Amino acid sequence: MKYVRFRDPAGAVRRGELESGSVHFGNQSFALESDEIDILPPCEPSKIVCIGRNYADHADEMGNDVPDRPLLFLKPPNAVAAHGDTVTAPAGKERIDHEAELGVVIGEQCRHVPVADAMDVVEGITCVNDISNRDDQREEQNWIRGKAFDGAAPLGPVLATPDEVPEDASVRSRVNGELKQDGSREQLIFPIPELIAEITTYMTLEPGDVIATGTPEGVGPLEDGDEVEIEVEGVGTLSHSIRRP
Amino acid sequence: MKYVRFRDPAGAVRRGELESGSVHFGNQSFALESDEIDILPPCEPSKIVCIGRNYADHADEMGNDVPDRPLLFLKPPNAVAAHGDTVTAPAGKERIDHEAELGVVIGEQCRHVPVADAMDVVEGITCVNDISNRDDQREEQNWIRGKAFDGAAPLGPVLATPDEVPEDASVRSRVNGELKQDGSREQLIFPIPELIAEITTYMTLEPGDVIATGTPEGVGPLEDGDEVEIEVEGVGTLSHSIRRP
């Protein structure tokens, strides 16, 4: 099953089922890219827990070693942006990068989840762009100016149940139609159940929280007006544009 | 004015005015430490933005230089704990520390706030313990296991309007009644308006969000069963205990 959260023409927030390019709720149907509805992020995370250096080829392109346990960082709710949004990057920076990621949406409140049970707390999979302001990320102990700014985490538009997403699902980005990243879920150094177990050793995950599982090689700069697409096989494609003041 | 948020005997969440040690709401009054009410955190932050190394003497005791702009990190909503709670630290760690801090509670949604207008977005001041798991903090790029675990940010119990809090308000901690930290708001390297201006250059602050302004020298370990008090002059005293599994 695939779901899309949206605001209907009457202003009500709904979650509809996506089938054959249309979103169905009750007796209403809308084309996914219809002007009649506003597509919303698929969930309202209290936090996005992000994983750094979870693909060996990306750690390598950034000149970093592969970590011996997941490198964790956070994006707060102000970072969420929706499919179709224009994200305004922090002003006056040299380098703002795209990072295509497979996002895990949590379905129930959980703590101390064993690896063997971890997929039981997953509601579904979505697309995430972990937009990164490298100017500040390079200078900071914690990646706050670098990764937690408003709009730094476009999410969606589709939430797909885990059965829709192959174990070797491709994770891709395109900028202005040109393929930039082309990785696979099977390249994850720490797979989804291990991430959930490690994170919930320290903190409670809430329904709607998101784990952004890391990015494959091929990250690169976004310029003013660029159109970005993040595609996760079995889920769909997240599109947004970027403004560089 | 001083306020306390609490759950009344009927289970309703209320914010009452604190006067002469009693909390008043409507025609009801309760002693602050009464068994009839549950004291809640003074606000429900979507994020806590914390400041590292904002007192020169604490940066020095940790062997760090004073930063040339605020060192920022985040605690998510799962870190919030209330006055009177027992905080369970992550298991099997050597060193869990207290850090007494003056907390700024934001009153309105805001972005790009100039220094001159920054106090207009402040609803009040509260007490924060920025509990820190040094074992992991030392090893991590981003302080997530170190600082963002469940219960890592006890808050409250009082929210005092800014006029109640002197410019040189003392910021103190006691462990089992023994004074451990004794700093002053006037020692802040980056004062509150500069913190608000810098943070809102990058992100929107929401009503109820908290800025934890950093800790003075004297941080130290917490053992199983320790009773911690964080006192900010003009606000009140936050008390909680610690469990070390």
Side-chain angles (χ1 to χ4, degrees):
Chain A
M1 308 270 278
K2 295 183 184 180
Y3 299 95
V4 171
R5 203 164 142 267
F6 64 99
R7 195 180 302 277
D8 78 6
V13 172
R14 303 299 189 200
R15 189 164 88 161
E17 197 181 329
L18 179 68
E19 226 176 356
S20 313
S22 289
V23 184
H24 308 276
F25 178 83
N27 58 6
Q28 295 187 298
S29 293
F30 305 97
L32 183 58
E33 304 289 344
S34 160
D35 287 344
E36 288 186 284
I37 60 172
D38 292 325
I39 296 175
L40 300 175
C43 53
E44 298 186 278
S46 73
K47 58 187 169 292
I48 302 171
V49 184
C50 301
I51 315 299
R53 305 173 192 164
N54 202 22
Y55 289 77
D57 51 9
H58 171 63
D60 191 54
E61 76 180 339
M62 301 296 280
N64 295 312
D65 292 333
V66 166
D68 59 1
R69 60 180 185 169
L71 187 165
L72 306 179
F73 62 97
L74 289 166
K75 297 200 181 209
N78 61 281
V80 173
H83 179 72
D85 281 0
T86 298
V87 172
T88 299
K93 308 299 175 187
E94 288 287 322
R95 179 87 183 238
I96 305 287
D97 277 12
H98 59 83
E99 294 196 351
E101 308 202 3
L102 183 153
V104 177
V105 180
I106 298 299
E108 57 186 82
Q109 193 179 53
C110 57
R111 180 89 204 267
H112 293 301
V113 181
V115 168
D117 302 335
M119 291 310 291
D120 296 347
V121 306
V122 175
E123 182 174 31
I125 307 295
T126 193
C127 306
V128 182
N129 190 6
D130 168 16
I131 306 178
S132 302
N133 152 22
R134 302 291 187 212
D135 295 37
D136 287 299
Q137 187 189 354
R138 272 194 300 263
E139 306 291 330
E140 290 185 306
Q141 169 70 47
N142 291 270
W143 301 334
I144 307 303
R145 297 169 182 85
K147 297 269 202 177
F149 54 87
D150 282 4
L155 295 182
V158 177
L159 182 151
T161 50
D163 57 292
E164 300 272 0
V165 186
E167 287 299 326
D168 64 349
S170 58
V171 177
R172 295 190 175 115
S173 62
R174 290 184 200 82
V175 178
N176 303 323
E178 189 181 330
L179 185 68
K180 297 292 186 181
Q181 294 177 273
D182 188 6
S184 161
R185 174 182 173 181
E186 65 185 350
Q187 298 170 321
L188 291 176
I189 296 169
F190 300 101
I192 295 168
E194 289 188 35
L195 297 175
I196 292 170
E198 175 68 10
I199 292 164
T200 64
T201 299
Y202 293 89
M203 64 181 80
T204 298
L205 290 172
E206 301 288 345
D209 281 359
V210 173
I211 302 172
T213 58
T215 201
E217 76 172 329
V219 302
L222 295 173
E223 304 303 337
D224 192 54
D226 279 353
E227 297 286 339
V228 188
E229 289 173 292
I230 308 295
E231 182 192 336
V232 176
E233 186 184 353
V235 181
T237 301
L238 164 72
S239 306
H240 71 85
S241 58
I242 194 101
R243 196 169 81 83
R244 293 286 313 273
Chain B
M1 308 270 279
K2 295 183 185 182
Y3 299 96
V4 171
R5 204 165 141 266
F6 64 100
R7 194 180 304 277
D8 76 9
V13 173
R14 304 298 188 202
R15 190 165 85 161
E17 197 179 331
L18 178 68
E19 224 174 359
S20 312
S22 291
V23 184
H24 308 276
F25 178 82
N27 57 6
Q28 295 185 297
S29 292
F30 305 96
L32 183 58
E33 306 289 344
S34 161
D35 287 343
E36 288 186 285
I37 60 173
D38 292 326
I39 295 176
L40 301 175
C43 53
E44 298 187 281
S46 72
K47 57 187 171 289
I48 302 171
V49 184
C50 303
I51 314 300
R53 303 172 194 165
N54 203 22
Y55 288 78
D57 51 8
H58 170 64
D60 191 52
E61 77 178 340
M62 300 296 279
N64 295 310
D65 292 334
V66 166
D68 58 2
R69 59 180 184 168
L71 188 164
L72 305 179
F73 62 97
L74 288 167
K75 297 199 181 211
N78 61 281
V80 173
H83 179 72
D85 281 359
T86 297
V87 172
T88 300
K93 307 299 175 186
E94 288 288 323
R95 180 87 183 235
I96 305 286
D97 276 12
H98 59 82
E99 294 196 351
E101 308 204 1
L102 182 155
V104 177
V105 180
I106 298 297
E108 58 184 82
Q109 194 180 54
C110 58
R111 178 89 205 266
H112 294 300
V113 181
V115 168
D117 300 336
M119 290 310 291
D120 296 346
V121 306
V122 175
E123 182 176 31
I125 307 296
T126 192
C127 306
V128 183
N129 190 5
D130 168 16
I131 306 178
S132 302
N133 152 22
R134 302 291 185 211
D135 295 37
D136 287 299
Q137 187 189 355
R138 274 194 299 263
E139 305 293 330
E140 292 185 306
Q141 170 70 48
N142 291 269
W143 301 334
I144 307 304
R145 298 169 182 85
K147 296 268 204 178
F149 54 87
D150 283 4
L155 294 181
V158 176
L159 183 151
T161 50
D163 57 293
E164 300 272 0
V165 186
E167 288 300 324
D168 63 350
S170 57
V171 177
R172 296 189 175 116
S173 62
R174 288 183 200 84
V175 178
N176 304 323
E178 190 182 329
L179 186 68
K180 296 292 185 181
Q181 294 178 272
D182 187 6
S184 161
R185 173 181 175 182
E186 66 186 349
Q187 297 169 322
L188 290 177
I189 296 169
F190 300 101
I192 295 168
E194 289 187 36
L195 296 175
I196 292 171
E198 176 67 9
I199 292 164
T200 64
T201 300
Y202 292 87
M203 65 181 80
T204 298
L205 290 172
E206 301 288 346
D209 282 358
V210 172
I211 302 172
T213 58
T215 201
E217 77 172 327
V219 302
L222 294 174
E223 304 304 338
D224 192 54
D226 279 353
E227 297 285 338
V228 188
E229 291 173 290
I230 308 295
E231 181 192 337
V232 175
E233 184 184 354
V235 179
T237 300
L238 165 71
S239 306
H240 72 86
S241 58
I242 193 100
R243 196 170 80 83
R244 294 286 313 272

